[in-house]
């Protein structure tokens, strides 16, 4: 489980940078393709010290929780991850 400060895109912008702390610890980048879709990428390392990268395509559902004073984003996505290293050693 990770404690995350994931990349958030500021209002009126299409690009954001964040940090994921935990498993894995990584720098995250989010690029909003449209108002309701985005690409999310991260590069970092696992608790074992091995490099790890991942990417996701996200769909954001603003209609379920209309934008209010609270920063609550509901989204679903599909993606993949690549980890490097040998856990057996």
């Amino acid at each position: 489980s990770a404690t995350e400060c994931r990349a958030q895109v500021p209002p009126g912008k299409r690009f954001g940078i964040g940090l994921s702390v935990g498993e894995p610890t990584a720098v995250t980048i989010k690029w909003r393709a449209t108002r309701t879709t985005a690409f999310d990428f991260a590069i970092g390392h696992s608790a074992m010290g091995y490099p790890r990268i991942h990417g996701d395509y996200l769909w954001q559902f603003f209609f379920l929780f209309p934008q209010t004073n609270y920063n609550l984003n509901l989204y679903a996505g599909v993606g993949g991850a690549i980890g490097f290293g040998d856990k057996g050693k």
Side-chain angles (χ1 to χ4, degrees), residues 17-43:
I17 297 175
L19 180 65
S20 176
V21 178
E23 177 59 33
T25 297
V27 173
T28 63
I29 299 169
K30 186 174 183 180
W31 179 71
R32 183 176 292 149
T34 68
R35 183 179 178 278
T36 59
T37 62
F39 292 94
D40 180 51
F41 303 97
I43 185 166

